[in-house]
Each structure stands twice: as C-alpha cells, then as structure tokens.
C-alpha cells in the first residue's frame, strides 16, 4: 500500500524505507532486537535524522513487531493516517483513523491525571509515547495546519470534527509524554495558528485547553498582534469562551505582572531595561470590554450565584457552580490588574469606568467575593480552607489587588464610593473651610457605586472584622492605602478616620502586637498616609496611645524594622515640619501633647533614624521595597537644609561613624546611594511625581539637595566629601562592584 503522502509510491521512497527497515532489523533474516527500534526513533526525534516516522517502515514489519511489543496497533494506524491525509485527500478515511486512535490515548490520559496510571504487563511503553515516537505529533500538527496552505489560490479546509479529534489527541499526548508540550511551544507558527481555531465553538474548548498547556511552558512571550483578526475573534466570543480566553491571557501576560518586583534589585532592573524589547498584547479597551461581561452577572443569571440557569440534566451541585464562577472571575481580575499597571493604564481606567465594573463588583461583594460559606465549601483536594491556594481565598486577594491598582494615584478612585459618601466628602471640605477636591467634583455620579455602602466602605467593614492571623490583612491595608496615595486629601483622611480606621490600625499594631512583617509594613504605610499633615489624626493617635507603656510598645514595633516603618517615620517628620510653621491653637495643642511628635522632634531621634536608614541599604541591595529608606533619609536632610542645619546633621553622622569605629563607611555608602538615586529618578517621570505629591516638596528641591550633597568640592559645608577623611574616601566605585 502507499505509505507516504506524496512520493511514497516511487521506487526511491520504497528503497529508502526498506533500507531503514533493514537497519532496524539488523539485516534481512535477522530477528527484531528489543528496544532497538524505539531507541533509533528517539535518536531520530532528537537529531531530525534517521528513523523519525512510521512511514519509514512497511506495514508488514510494523504488524509483526507489534505482536511482540504490544504497541496497540498505533504505528500501523499512523501509517494509514499518512496515506489518507495527503493534500488531495477528502479526509473522510483520515477522520475515521483518528477516531480509532483517540480512545487508545484518552483512557491513558484520564488514568494519568487521576493518578491511577499503572503499567500493565502487556505493554512496556504508554500508547502516547509510541504515538509520539512514530511521528504522530508532527503529523497532526501538519494536518491541523493544512488550512494555511493554498492550492491554485484556494485554501484547504478540514472539518471542525477532525480538528477537534486532532486537538484532543495532541492534548492527551502532552499530558502523558514528557517533552511534547515543550516541542509544540517551540513551533511559534503553530501556536499562533491555534488561536485561529478558537473561531469555532466546536473546537474552542479543545483549542483553549491545548494553548493554555503550551503557553505554560513557553519561554518567550507570545506576540498576540501576530494572531490574524484577533480583535474580531474575541469580540464574537460568548461568555464562557471569554472566560476561557482570559485563562489563556493570564498565562500570556503574566510576565507583565510587577506585583512581585519588590524583591528584585533596582540595579538589576535598571540594567535589564537596556535590553528589554517591548511585547505587544491585545488592545486593552477590548480586554476591558470582554472582562466586564465576565465579572458582572450576565442577563438572566440566577439571584443566588450569578450563573445562568441550566437544564435539569446538566444541573451542577451548588458548590461546583460557585467554584466554576470563582475560577473564571479570578482569571479576569488578574488580567485587569495587570492592565491597570501597564502603559495604557488611563485607557483601561476609562473603560473600566464606562462598563461600570466597580459598581458591579460592589454588588457582587457579599454574594460572591466576601460571601459567607461553610468551611468545606471551596477547598481543593489536599488543602484546607485557610490555605492561600484555595480558590475562594485567591479570589479575595486578586480582588484586593485590583482595588489597589485601580485606586493608586488615580482620580477614578472616587468611583469606589456611592453618591451619599461623595456628598459626605463635600461636607467635610465645607466644614473645614477648604476647597473641595477637584476629582470629587469631576466624578461622573452615574458611574459610582449604588446601594447603602460603596466598595471602600464595605472593605473597611470586613477589614475591621478580620481575624488577627488572617492572610487578608496585608492586602486589605494595601488596598485602602492606595485610596490615600498621591496628593494628601484632608477630606479623604477624615472620611476614613470617622469610620474608626486609625483606632483599628493601632489596635493591631499595639494591642495585638502583630508579628507579621508584611502586615506590619502595610499597617505602618497606611497609618502614615492617614495621619500625614492631619491634626485631627494626631489627636486621635494621642487619645488611643494614652500611656507610656502603650507608646513604648508602639516604638518597639517601629524600631523592630525600619524597612517596614520608615514611611510612617517620613510622614510624621513631614507633618512635624508643617505643624511647626503653622500659627494655630489647635496645632499648638497637638504639638504640646502628642508623644509621637515630641519624640520625632528630638535631634538625637532623627539622627538615630537617619544613621540606621542609610546603614541598612546599599546600591546592590536596593529594591522597590526598601528604596523608601533612601528617600526617607533624604526627607530628613531636606528639612534640615530648609532650617540651614544640613552641615550639623552631616557632622553628627560623621561623629556617629567614628563612635561605631567605621569612619567613612556610612558616608561613602550614602554617596553611592545618591549617585544611583540620580540615575534612577531623573529618568522616571512617574516616580518623581510620586515623590513630589507624597512629600509636598518640589522635585526640584529633591534634585538640588542631592546635587549639593554630591558636590565634589571638599570646602563645601553641605557636601558629603567634606566629612569623609582622605584615607577612607571610596566614592568612585562602580555600582556593579560588590
């Protein structure tokens, strides 16, 4: 029979195949050597030479060998598949053969994923392994991609049913046979082509499953702009297709996620940026549009769980419905979160607002996101309800991350409130006789939350009820803090103070004596933003921390890790400076009574903080997490410069160096840190704006202060070099040197 798609019938083709067969048998008349065929096929697969496909053998030989090796007839079926899948075939017989192959692999894959796989005595090798080894994977890739080939101007077509069988077989082979998924991932044209198969509902699920598996091992980020008509493709998805597509997207854009960048050094990131090429992704506006239809309850959804009603025959248990709902929404929230941190953030913000995603999430808050559930409702096999891997917990964390990204330095944060709460902000400004926040005035009231409480207020309520050991405390504090970031707003602070947030934070820091460093850092950061420049907040602080014993516990928590508490130290230092320059009885009263302000006002306290802040960081160890220590040290020195005390502070640092028996060590380190500061911040507009807004000190004053400190003139009383003795001078070291 003909065994090759085209030239297999020629004498040359038969001759080559016969030669390969002779080599495999060890010569005509010899007996089959066990394992020899598979070994040669494996070598051919790795090198691309020699035996690589079933078509290189005769059917007689394969049948004879199958009797001994128990290959389930797979090589013979592949031989027939080659013969019936050539370009001019009608593919009917080809599809019948695929139907024979499919169950041989699917049962094996099912056993594999359910951990019930046991090798029987009848076979030495799994069917999927034999299928791949005899060229089955490469053949199916060729068959699937036939529509990309044109003959006389017309593209070939294969049926959806045939594509579906090919995709299922490929996926089962990937599941069971190591290395197949990685090989497919290396075929970039095939990966791009797979996206086009998602146009058909019949093949969508199989395609999405295979793509997700492939992208999970693909080293390079896929360029979605290479997928033909992707926008049109996505816009035609139904809700379930959209949800599955977001699962794929979550894998595709995961490398854009900067959520864990805190641990990477700024120096390595700075160097890496020189070599990073931009990667294209799908149009953000389209993503937001499709995401909104998944996150929000669809029309006709049931009141109980937001899922469409299904027929009695397909009815799922309630817990499975909710799990299904949670997993879809989890992927969508992740995608939105990454987009909100991307270059087109403003466009994404606008789309999220227009699709009323925030009010939708507010309505889902009690029903799904922070719903009450039994302890056993949503627990994965091998985990417990408190495990961070639980879908229920992961959804909450992803939701909080989205709120954090949405609120951070953006005027759309006021969409987290309802109309009544926005009116409350206006009333606070009116009572304090200060201008109303422009962003509040500009907020489109038709896009804000509805109901009795907005999303921010709901978050505060669950935050105050959270158990001490809860893993949500960190993310809750981060989400609320992001609402306060940027230019300090007295009305925003008072809105939160009136809801008891400051007392809750102090209870967690002092009375519960929180031990988690991550939670402590998030609480200190939030407390700093809540109290900054706010006299009422300092009065509330003093009322709660009303004994020396409580104050000492608070100081102990601050001093236990300045990396975690330095933002609070910075905010209190800035507030003290402002209060000291105000003529107001209320301010004067707070200055005379507040333990915290009195403590920070002492020069020895400021010098102690300054010395430790500089000492705990180095250029090689700077991260997004601890670079704030450098900026806090600069704030202390900038305020000293304003009071013409900069030389005094530098002289005191020099004395502290000598008292520690390390002359020059601290100031040399500080000099290098400031040199890196110039490189890092003078090229980042966003970072400089954040520094200016959060400190109310113009960025030009930041730059001037750094330049004065780095002045090479040893006669300058405000230059670092003036306080480093010549034998200990080490200020020209390259940043990359250890």
């Amino acid at each position: 029979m003909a065994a090759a798609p085209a030239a297999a019938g020629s004498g040359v083709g038969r001759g080559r195949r016969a030669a390969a067969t002779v080599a495999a048998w060890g010569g005509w008349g010899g007996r089959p050597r066990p394992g020899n065929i598979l070994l040669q096929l494996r070598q051919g697969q790795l090198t691309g030479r020699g035996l690589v496909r079933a078509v290189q053998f005769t059917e007689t030989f394969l049948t004879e060998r199958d009797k001994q090796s128990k290959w389930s007839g797979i090589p013979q079926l592949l031989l027939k598949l080659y013969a019936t899948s050539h370009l001019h075939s009608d593919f009917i017989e080809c599809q019948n053969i695929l139907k024979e192959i499919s169950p041989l692999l699917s049962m094996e894959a099912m056993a594999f994923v359910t951990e019930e796989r046991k090798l029987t005595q009848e076979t030495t090798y799994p069917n999927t392994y034999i299928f791949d080894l005899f060229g089955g994977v490469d053949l199916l890739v060729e068959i699937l991609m036939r529509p990309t080939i044109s003959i006389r101007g017309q593209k070939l077509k294969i049926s959806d049913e045939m594509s579906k069988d090919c995709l299922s077989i490929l996926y089962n082979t990937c599941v069971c046979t190591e290395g197949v998924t990685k090989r497919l991932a290396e075929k970039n044209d095939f990966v791009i082509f797979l996206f086009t198969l998602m146009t058909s509902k019949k093949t969508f699920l199989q395609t999405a499953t295979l793509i997700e598996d492939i992208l999970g091992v693909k080293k390079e980020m896929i360029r979605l702009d290479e997928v033909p008509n992707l926008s049109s493709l996505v816009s035609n998805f139904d809700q379930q297709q959209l949800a599955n597509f977001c699962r794929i997207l979550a894998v595709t854009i995961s490398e854009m996620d900067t959520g864990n960048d805190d641990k990477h050094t700024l120096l390595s990131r700075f160097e890496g940026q020189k070599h990073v090429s931009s990667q294209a992704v799908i149009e953000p506006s389209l993503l937001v549009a499709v995401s909104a239809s998944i996150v929000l309850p669809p029309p006709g959804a049931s009141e109980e769980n937001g899922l469409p009603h299904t027929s009695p025959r397909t009815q799922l248990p309630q817990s499975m419905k909710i799990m299904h709902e949670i997993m879809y929404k989890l992927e969508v929230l992740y995608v939105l979160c990454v987009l909100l941190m991307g270059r087109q953030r403003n466009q994404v913000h606008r789309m999220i607002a227009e699709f009323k995603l925030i009010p939708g999430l507010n309505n889902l808050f009690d029903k799904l996101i922070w719903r009450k559930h039994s302890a056993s409702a949503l627990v994965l096999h091998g985990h417990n309800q408190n495990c961070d891997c639980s879908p229920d917990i992961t959804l909450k964390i992803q939701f909080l991350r989205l709120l954090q990204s949405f609120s951070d330095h953006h005027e759309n944060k006021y969409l987290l409130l309802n109309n009544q709460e926005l009116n409350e902000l206006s009333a606070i400004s009116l009572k304090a006789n200060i201008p109303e926040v422009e962003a509040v005035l500009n907020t489109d009231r038709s896009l804000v939350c509805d109901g009795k409480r907005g999303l921010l207020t709901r978050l505060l309520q669950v935050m105050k009820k959270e158990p001490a050991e809860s893993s949500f405390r960190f993310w809750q504090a981060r989400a609320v803090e992001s609402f306060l970031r940027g230019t300090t707003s007295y009305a925003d602070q008072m809105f939160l103070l009136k809801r008891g947030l400051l007392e809750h934070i102090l209870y967690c820091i002092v009375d519960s004596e929180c031990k988690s460093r991550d939670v402590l850092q998030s609480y200190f950061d939030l407390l700093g933003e809540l109290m900054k420049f706010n006299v009422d907040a300092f009065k509330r602080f003093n009322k709660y921390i009303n004994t020396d014993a409580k104050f000492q516990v608070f100081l102990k928590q601050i001093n236990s890790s300045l990396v975690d508490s330095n933002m609070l130290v910075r905010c209190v230092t800035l507030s003290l400076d402002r209060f000291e320059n105000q003529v107001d009885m209320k301010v004067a009263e707070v200055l005379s009574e507040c333990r915290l302000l009195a403590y920070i006002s002492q020069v020895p306290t400021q010098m102690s903080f300054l010395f430790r802040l500089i000492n705990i960081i180095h250029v090689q160890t700077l991260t997004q997490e601890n670079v704030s220590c450098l900026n806090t040290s600069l704030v202390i020195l900038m305020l000293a410069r304003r009071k013409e005390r900069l030389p005094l502070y530098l002289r005191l640092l020099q004395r502290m160096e000598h008292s520690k028996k390390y002359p020059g060590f601290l100031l040399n380190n500080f000099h290098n840190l400031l040199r890196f500061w110039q490189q890092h911040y003078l090229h980042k507009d966003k970072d400089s704006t954040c520094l200016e807004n959060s400190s109310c000190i113009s960025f030009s004053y930041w730059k001037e202060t750094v330049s004065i400190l780095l002045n090479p003139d040893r006669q300058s009383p405000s230059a670092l070099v003036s306080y480093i003795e010549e034998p200990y001078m080490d200020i020209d070291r390259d940043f990359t040197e250890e």
Side-chain angles (χ1 to χ4, degrees), residues 671 707-715 719 721 731:
H671 194 281
S707 296
I708 288 171
L709 289 167
L710 292 179
N711 187 346
D713 183 5
R714 293 179 62 85
Q715 303 303 313
V721 293
I731 61 173

Side-chain angles (χ1 to χ4, degrees), residues 530-549:
L530 190 61
M531 296 179 65
K532 186 167 53 180
F533 307 137
N534 193 308
V535 174
D536 297 281
F538 279 92
K539 287 185 69 174
R540 284 174 175 258
F541 176 91
N542 217 40
K543 184 177 179 180
Y544 191 93
I545 307 295
N546 54 6
T547 66
D548 288 337

Side-chain angles (χ1 to χ4, degrees), residues 58-187:
T58 64
E59 185 175 12
T60 302
F61 168 76
L62 292 174
T63 302
E64 183 66 27
R65 185 60 193 265
D66 192 19
K67 293 177 183 178
Q68 175 187 349
S69 302
K70 308 295 183 184
W71 289 335
S72 304
I74 290 175
Q76 299 95 299
L77 288 170
L78 284 175
L79 198 62
K80 294 178 182 178
L81 192 61
Y82 273 105
T84 58
S85 63
H86 56 79
L87 295 179
H88 300 287
S89 170
D90 60 7
F91 295 123
I92 295 177
E93 182 60 26
C94 179
Q95 190 167 337
N96 292 333
I97 297 170
L98 288 172
K99 296 290 186 187
E100 287 188 62
I101 295 174
S102 185
L104 296 174
L105 276 59
S106 61
M107 293 300 293
E108 190 174 277
M110 181 64 70
F112 191 94
V113 298
T114 55
E115 300 179 352
E116 296 177 359
R117 178 181 177 223
K118 295 180 180 178
L119 293 177
T120 64
Q121 294 180 350
E122 297 179 1
T123 179
T124 307
Y125 298 99
N127 290 339
T128 49
Y129 180 76
I130 296 300
F131 176 80
D132 178 45
L133 210 56
F134 278 90
V137 169
D138 292 334
L139 178 57
L140 290 198
V141 169
E142 291 175 8
I143 292 173
L144 277 172
M145 294 189 70
R146 289 285 158 80
T148 63
I149 300 174
S150 296
I151 296 181
R152 296 175 183 174
Q154 292 187 342
K155 288 190 175 182
L156 298 174
K157 294 182 179 179
I158 62 175
S159 68
D160 287 342
E161 192 64 30
M162 185 167 168
S163 294
K164 187 176 177 180
D165 289 337
C166 288
L167 291 165
S168 296
I169 293 171
L170 283 177
Y171 177 73
N172 289 332
T173 308
C174 287
V175 168
C176 300
T177 305
E178 186 178 359
V180 173
T181 310
K182 185 178 178 181
R183 289 203 336 263
L184 290 177
E186 293 170 352
K187 300 177 183 290

Side-chain angles (χ1 to χ4, degrees), residues 146-352:
R146 289 285 158 80
T148 63
I149 300 174
S150 296
I151 296 181
R152 296 175 183 174
Q154 292 187 342
K155 288 190 175 182
L156 298 174
K157 294 182 179 179
I158 62 175
S159 68
D160 287 342
E161 192 64 30
M162 185 167 168
S163 294
K164 187 176 177 180
D165 289 337
C166 288
L167 291 165
S168 296
I169 293 171
L170 283 177
Y171 177 73
N172 289 332
T173 308
C174 287
V175 168
C176 300
T177 305
E178 186 178 359
V180 173
T181 310
K182 185 178 178 181
R183 289 203 336 263
L184 290 177
E186 293 170 352
K187 300 177 183 290
N188 196 61
D189 57 341
F190 176 64
V191 178
I192 295 295
F193 170 75
L194 283 178
F195 280 91
T196 66
L197 296 182
M198 299 173 81
T199 55
S200 170
K201 290 187 177 181
K202 291 182 180 179
T203 60
F204 179 89
L205 190 58
Q206 286 76 17
T207 306
T209 306
L210 182 59
I211 291 176
E212 186 180 349
D213 213 42
I214 289 173
L215 294 181
V217 301
K218 190 170 178 63
K219 293 182 179 179
E220 302 82 15
M221 186 182 292
I222 188 74
R223 293 188 63 94
L224 292 177
D225 61 342
E226 294 180 359
V227 178
N229 304 314
L230 182 60
S231 294
S232 174
L233 169 71
V234 176
S235 63
N236 290 319
F237 285 161
D238 61 28
Q239 190 179 29
Q240 185 172 359
Q241 288 176 314
L242 289 173
N244 277 288
F245 181 72
C246 277
R247 287 183 60 84
I248 295 171
L249 211 58
V251 177
T252 309
I253 67 174
S254 60
E255 292 186 15
M256 296 167 58
D257 187 358
T258 58
N260 296 320
D261 266 1
D262 285 358
K263 306 303 180 185
H264 295 117
T265 66
L266 296 181
L267 184 61
S268 64
R269 288 171 59 190
F270 182 78
E271 290 297 320
Q273 286 169 0
K274 300 175 182 177
H275 311 289
V276 171
S277 59
S278 60
Q279 296 289 345
V281 295
I282 189 172
E283 179 68 20
S285 59
L286 178 62
L287 283 181
V288 176
V290 301
S291 299
S293 69
I294 302 170
V295 173
L296 305 184
S302 68
E303 288 294 326
E304 294 180 335
N305 53 54
L307 291 172
H309 289 292
T310 54
S311 65
R313 294 184 64 183
T314 59
Q315 197 79 25
L316 291 172
Q318 182 69 9
S319 61
M320 289 297 292
K321 286 183 185 178
I322 297 174
M323 174 74 83
H324 190 262
E325 179 83 343
I326 283 176
M327 293 306 291
Y328 280 162
K329 284 176 168 45
L330 179 60
E331 304 295 349
V332 177
L333 291 177
Y334 173 78
V335 170
L336 289 174
C337 194
V338 173
L339 290 172
L340 281 170
M341 295 186 289
R343 294 180 180 178
Q344 301 189 57
R345 183 187 185 216
N346 288 332
Q347 183 184 0
V348 175
H349 252 287
R350 179 177 57 80
M351 296 296 294
I352 285 179

Side-chain angles (χ1 to χ4, degrees), residues 2 55 64 102 111 153 156 173 198 260 324 339 347 358 377 379 388 406 490 586 600 608 644 678 686:
V55 73
E64 183 66 27
S102 185
L156 298 174
T173 308
M198 299 173 81
N260 296 320
H324 190 262
L339 290 172
Q347 183 184 0
I358 298 302
V379 180
D388 283 355
F406 184 80
Y490 174 80
K586 190 177 179 180
I600 294 292
S608 174
E644 299 183 350
Q678 286 183 323
K686 182 183 176 183

